[in-house]
């Protein structure tokens, strides 16, 4: 009798429930992580089981983990919402947080990725929780392979990449407000990019965000240390390597090589080639931690390699900008545009229902009105970019000219004080921005004759004269010239606004050469009568600037003028709310007509873009209601036999995790009254 009860405990289906009841169960798991799989950790999770789910009526699953400092409880509203809509939802606390053991490794795939992968095994029914709980009601694409997607923001957004990068069983992602390259996030250099936002010369360390993260992580670890000693050590709740990288960066003003390598190892930029499943990226327009440029870097790399990818720039980010349930509603996802897009994403890619989501680019405007759901104020284009480049030219000592022929020669001077910062803006909380006289130069347009709408990433090229910093490239980067670029909106009454509180930091390796600067991504209307003002400052209260002092001159010359390139948005191509998901359509510029390819992409990469397909193929069966059986073969080997009437009636056969290389997939279907039909697809599968 005891043996029978023990066996029963290992195969638990969804508990009996009423039609709309969701059953929640808290579980804990033993996982092994680390490069050698020799570090034991405990993970706590909440499992939300939908009504009616069983081995006979399986459902797809959603796996989710928290943002930095959060826990599984962050999904207490979203998880039951998804469960009521036919998903099993497993929300767990990431390592180092919310009752889960071990230390913070910043979403390193060897730690956080492996922990999440073992929870995928639980959803597959092949791993038991500590109390012996197993489940058998999650749909499977193959034995041990559950139908599962992932959702979550910030730290929980990058965690999705960490898991999917090592576990091919994950089927769809929705990473929100997360990073591409963490070395850029915490110590950006908006010049000298080698790819995406990854740079070749050291960046400029942020003061506020790393300090806040360290305090939150340590406090969380201390609170848990009484019951779990895995958080205790020289650096409470952080691995020693993480602490060393953060402390070294704070003391010197830039990350050293080991620190940079550590942060990049924990970044999707280092393993983007392994992300081949449908990915819905959502980034915050109010975010000076993980800025819009990071989402563009991830989007363009995924799109270039053929990964299905959708990009949304929403209002809310780490720096504020929330418009509440008008943007995302966890309790009723269909009521707000972003949460509705997420639900439709998973419904299609996990359930196989609904039309295929548009792989487009959407962005929230500040100037289109809405009531309730903010969708009508969201612009949408077929792909990124949405704006067409328009050039303005630095002229004289303070003007932005619209024509190169109007540029006048002139030198604008400022000083790098090499001491206490004199500029504000771009920080965690404060949205006020100011610049002390003598530490910045500014170039402004005339009052605008019409509205100027921007949507995208602006860029700047300037010529400098900074003799004090000329030899910094071969010396300590701490002494190199550091600049901060920003775009101000100046109203007719003189009120100055820094849109979304965004600043671009630059460490200049060689000021004797023209310097190209990526400005913060922006969606903003500079209204008629307003002035657009470009500012270059030498200090910032939220960054560790240069330790050296010296004069800096911005030089303008009609033969080689400095250029400010703006992503200008055209007029809507249809009425407000007439686009997909109730958005407002905008025309795509010619530059966005085809998938971007990196300028230095090798020939093999270009061939891959043209001919390489993912490792999933779909067949739509004809006369599905009259079928008796369907058999799936890959390269001549039988891999699946479908006999369930419900599955056949749906008429959709999805074959996943195909082998790499040339693939021939055959589906042979047999009718209830005899007769067979063969469907064949041949392609090159990659991933």
């Amino acid at each position: 009798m005891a043996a029978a009860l023990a066996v029963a405990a290992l195969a638990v289906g969804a508990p009996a429930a009423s039609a709309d009841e969701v059953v929640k169960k808290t579980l804990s798991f033993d996982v092994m992580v680390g490069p050698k799989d020799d570090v034991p950790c405990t993970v706590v999770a909440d499992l939300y089981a939908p009504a009616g789910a069983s081995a006979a009526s399986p459902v797809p699953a959603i796996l989710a983990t928290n943002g930095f400092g959060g826990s599984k409880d962050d999904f207490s509203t979203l998880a039951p919402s998804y469960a009521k809509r036919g998903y099993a939802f497993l929300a767990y606390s990431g390592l180092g947080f919310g009752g889960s053991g071990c230390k913070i490794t910043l979403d390193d795939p060897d730690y956080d990725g492996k922990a999440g992968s073992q929870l995928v095994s639980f959803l597959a029914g092949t791993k038991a929780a500590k109390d012996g709980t197993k489940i058998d009601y999650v749909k499977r694409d193959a034995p041990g392979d559950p139908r599962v997607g992932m959702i979550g923001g910030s730290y929980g957004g990058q965690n999705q990449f960490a898991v999917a990068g090592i576990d091919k069983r994950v089927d769809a992602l929705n990473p929100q407000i997360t990073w591409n390259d963490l070395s850029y996030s915490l110590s950006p250099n908006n010049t000298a990019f080698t790819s995406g936002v990854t740079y070749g010369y050291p960046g400029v360390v942020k003061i506020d965000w790393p300090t806040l993260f360290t305090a939150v992580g340590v406090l969380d670890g201390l609170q848990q240390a009484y019951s779990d000693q895995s958080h205790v050590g020289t650096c409470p709740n952080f691995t020693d390597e993480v602490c060393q990288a953060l402390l070294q960066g704070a003391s010197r003003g830039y990350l050293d090589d080991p620190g940079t390598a550590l942060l990049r190892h924990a970044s999707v930029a280092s393993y983007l080639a392994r992300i081949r499943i449908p990915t819905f990226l959502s980034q915050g327009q109010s975010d000076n931690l993980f800025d819009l440029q990071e989402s563009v870097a991830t989007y363009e790399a995924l799109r270039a390699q053929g990964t299905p990818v959708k990009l949304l720039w929403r209002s809310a980010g780490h720096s504020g900008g929330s418009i509440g349930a008008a943007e995302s509603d966890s309790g009723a996802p269909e009521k707000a545009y972003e949460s509705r897009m997420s639900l439709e994403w998973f419904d299609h890619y996990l359930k196989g229902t609904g039309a295929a989501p548009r792989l487009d680019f959407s962005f929230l405007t500040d100037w289109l009105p809405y009531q309730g759901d903010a969708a009508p104020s969201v612009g949408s284009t077929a792909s990124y970019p949405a704006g067409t480049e328009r050039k303005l030219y630095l002229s004289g000592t303070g003007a932005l000219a619209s024509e190169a022929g109007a540029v006048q020669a002139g030198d604008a001077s400022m000083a790098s004080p090499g001491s206490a910062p004199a500029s504000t803006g771009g920080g965690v909380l404060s949205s006020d921005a100011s610049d002390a006289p003598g530490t910045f130069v500014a170039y402004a347009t005339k009052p605008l004759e019409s509205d100027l709408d921007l949507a995208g990433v602006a860029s700047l090229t300037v010529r400098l004269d900074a003799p004090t910093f000329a030899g910094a490239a071969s010396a300590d980067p701490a002494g190199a010239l550091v600049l901060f670029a920003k775009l101000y909106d100046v109203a007719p009454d003189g009120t100055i606004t820094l849109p979304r509180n965004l600043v671009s930091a630059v460490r200049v390796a060689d000021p004797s050469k023209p310097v190209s600067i990526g400005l913060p991504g922006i969606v903003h209307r500079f209204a008629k009568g307003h002035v657009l003002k470009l500012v270059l400052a030498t200090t910032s209260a939220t960054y560790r600037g240069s330790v050296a002092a010296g004069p800096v001159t911005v030089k303008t010359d009609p033969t080689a003028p400095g250029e400010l390139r703006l992503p200008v948005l055209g007029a809507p191509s249809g009425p407000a709310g007439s686009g997909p998901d109730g958005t407002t359509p905008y025309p795509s510029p010619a530059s966005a007509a085809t998938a971007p390819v990196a300028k230095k992409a090798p020939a093999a990469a270009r061939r891959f873009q043209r001919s390489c397909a993912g490792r999933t193929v779909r067949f739509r069966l004809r006369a599905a209601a009259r079928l008796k059986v369907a058999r799936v073969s890959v390269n001549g080997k039988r891999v699946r036999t479908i006999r369930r009437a419900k599955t056949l009636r749906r008429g959709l056969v999805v074959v996943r995790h195909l082998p790499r290389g040339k693939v021939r997939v055959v589906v042979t279907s047999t009718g209830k009254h005899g007769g067979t039909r063969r469907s064949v697809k041949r392609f090159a599968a990659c991933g």
Side-chain angles (χ1 to χ4, degrees):
M1 182 67 174
L5 290 175
V7 172
L10 294 177
V12 179
S18 62
D20 58 354
E21 182 182 356
V22 174
V23 177
K24 173 184 174 183
K25 183 175 183 179
T26 299
L27 302 167
S28 61
F29 300 87
D30 289 323
V31 299
M32 297 297 291
V33 299
K36 298 181 180 179
D37 299 320
D38 58 354
V39 179
C41 299
T42 297
V43 173
V44 297
D46 289 331
L47 175 64
Y48 297 79
S54 66
S57 299
V59 297
I62 301 291
L63 181 65
T65 191
N66 52 275
F68 200 91
S71 74
K72 60 184 176 60
D73 298 337
D74 297 346
F75 298 95
S76 61
T77 301
L78 184 67
S81 292
Y82 267 77
K84 291 176 182 177
R85 288 159 177 79
Y87 291 90
F89 199 111
L90 185 63
Y92 71 99
S93 296
L95 300 181
F97 299 108
S100 287
C102 290
K103 293 188 173 185
I104 298 166
T105 61
L106 303 178
D107 277 334
D108 190 298
D110 286 335
Y111 293 86
D112 297 278
K114 288 184 176 180
S117 176
Q118 290 164 72
L119 298 187
V120 174
S121 296
F122 169 75
L123 294 172
T126 60
K127 180 180 176 64
K130 279 189 175 184
D131 66 358
T133 298
K134 273 190 173 183
I135 60 174
D136 61 359
Y137 53 81
V138 172
K139 284 186 177 180
R140 299 174 192 170
D141 297 316
D145 182 357
R147 185 80 57 83
V148 59
M150 298 187 70
I151 193 171
S154 191
Y155 201 77
Q158 190 69 199
N159 177 267
Q160 298 175 49
F161 290 130
V163 176
I166 64 171
D167 194 330
K168 298 299 183 183
R169 296 174 297 174
V170 181
D171 299 289
L173 304 177
N174 181 202
Q176 302 165 359
I177 58 172
T178 194
W179 66 88
N180 170 269
D181 182 340
L182 194 56
S183 68
Y184 170 85
S185 310
L186 302 183
S187 181
N189 191 3
N190 283 283
T191 190
F193 290 136
T194 57
S195 64
V197 293
T198 299
Y199 49 75
Y201 190 70
V204 187
V205 163
K206 295 176 180 177
I207 298 173
D208 49 359
W209 283 112
T211 300
L212 177 61
F213 281 149
T214 302
V216 169
V218 169
L219 179 61
D220 207 332
L222 292 175
Q223 291 172 339
Q224 299 181 79
Y226 296 103
S227 58
D228 186 348
Q229 295 299 305
S230 65
H231 302 280
V232 178
T234 306
C235 181
N237 213 29
F238 290 90
T239 64
D240 292 346
E241 294 82 2
V242 170
C243 266
Q244 183 177 354
L246 296 178
L247 290 173
Q248 181 276 333
S251 64
R252 302 181 69 177
Y254 63 91
L255 296 168
D256 62 9
D257 290 343
T260 300
L262 177 74
L263 298 187
R264 288 179 178 170
H265 187 262
S267 302
V268 69
S270 299
Y271 54 87
L272 267 165
R274 301 203 298 267
I275 306 300
R276 299 289 180 173
I277 57 177
T279 303
F280 175 20
L281 298 169
S282 177
Q283 204 78 348
Q285 292 171 196
S286 291
D287 204 322
N288 50 41
L289 174 59
F290 307 136
D291 61 26
L292 297 178
Q293 289 96 311
E294 299 219 50
S295 67
V296 172
T298 303
Y299 168 87
E300 291 188 332
L302 290 178
R303 190 161 180 254
Q305 70 185 23
T307 299
V309 60
K310 179 183 182 76
L311 176 61
L312 167 68
W313 286 357
R314 72 187 201 190
S315 180
H318 289 85
S319 309
S322 174
I323 56 175
E327 187 160 61
S328 186
D329 191 327
S330 296
E334 297 88 352
K335 290 186 177 180
Y337 73 91
E338 183 187 4
S339 51
R340 181 170 62 250
M341 288 180 185
S342 296
L343 183 60
E344 291 172 352
W345 189 260
F346 291 125
D347 280 351
H348 179 77
Y349 287 110
L350 300 183
K351 288 185 176 180
T353 61
R358 284 169 53 94
L359 302 180
D360 56 6
F361 168 53
S362 302
F363 46 92
L364 182 83
T365 69
D366 292 323
W367 55 89
L368 292 178
Y370 66 88
Q371 292 182 344
D373 183 0
S377 70
V378 177
S380 61
T381 62
S383 61
Y384 181 89
T388 301
E389 182 178 276
R390 180 184 301 177
K391 293 181 180 180
L392 298 179
Y393 302 90
L394 280 62
S395 177
T397 59
L400 284 173
S402 58
E403 302 292 338
V407 171
Q408 297 181 1
D411 295 341
S413 298
M414 55 183 166
S416 174
S419 57
S423 292
T424 61
V428 173
L429 299 176
S430 174
S431 60
D432 296 328
S434 62
D435 303 284
T439 63
F440 74 97
V441 297
Y443 294 85
T445 65
K446 295 178 180 179
L448 298 171
E449 297 180 355
S450 60
D451 295 338
L452 177 63
D453 298 339
L454 304 185
V457 178
S459 61
L460 170 70
T461 300
V462 293
R463 293 170 58 244
L464 304 172
D465 182 20
T468 303
F469 306 93
S474 58
D476 186 347
L481 174 63
V482 172
L483 297 174
F484 302 92
K486 40 199 166 182
L487 295 177
Y488 284 112
D489 185 337
V490 184
D493 64 0
T495 301
I496 300 177
T497 302
L498 180 61
R500 303 280 183 170
N501 194 26
L502 298 173
V503 173
S504 178
V506 175
R507 188 181 297 275
V508 181
D510 187 355
S512 67
K513 299 178 180 179
V515 180
S516 296
I517 300 172
L519 274 76
I522 187 173
V523 181
H524 183 74
R525 166 168 284 182
F526 292 84
K528 179 181 178 180
H530 285 223
V531 167
L532 182 153
K533 184 167 74 170
L534 165 71
V535 166
L536 276 177
T538 56
T539 70
S540 173
T542 55
Y543 290 84
R544 282 293 308 271
S546 175
V547 299
V552 181
T553 301
V554 177
K555 305 182 72 65
T556 58
D557 187 325
T559 62
E563 294 182 351
L564 174 62
R565 294 171 289 278
L566 301 174
V568 178
L569 190 65
S573 57
S578 65
D581 285 297
T583 61
T584 298
Y586 280 82
S588 295
S591 60
T594 58
V597 180
K599 293 181 179 179
K600 296 183 179 180
R606 294 193 292 273
R607 288 196 301 272
F608 170 83
Q609 183 189 354
R610 290 194 300 269
S611 62
C612 185
R615 294 172 63 192
T616 298
V617 64
R618 290 171 169 80
F619 290 83
R620 179 65 65 180
L621 302 180
R622 294 171 56 193
R626 298 193 294 272
L627 295 181
K628 179 181 179 181
V629 63
R631 296 177 174 86
V632 183
S633 297
V634 177
N635 293 340
K637 181 180 180 181
R638 179 80 57 82
V639 297
R640 186 180 180 191
T641 299
I642 305 170
R643 299 183 185 275
R644 293 186 64 242
K646 183 177 180 181
T647 303
L648 290 170
R649 283 198 302 272
R650 192 172 67 230
L652 179 67
V653 175
V654 181
V655 187
R656 304 174 189 274
H657 310 301
L658 295 168
R660 295 177 177 85
K662 294 182 179 180
V663 177
R664 181 176 182 266
V665 184
V666 180
V667 176
T668 304
S669 53
T670 303
K672 295 178 181 177
H673 305 292
T676 60
R677 181 180 291 112
R678 296 173 76 248
S679 300
V680 181
K681 292 188 178 182
R682 296 179 177 87
F683 57 93
C686 309

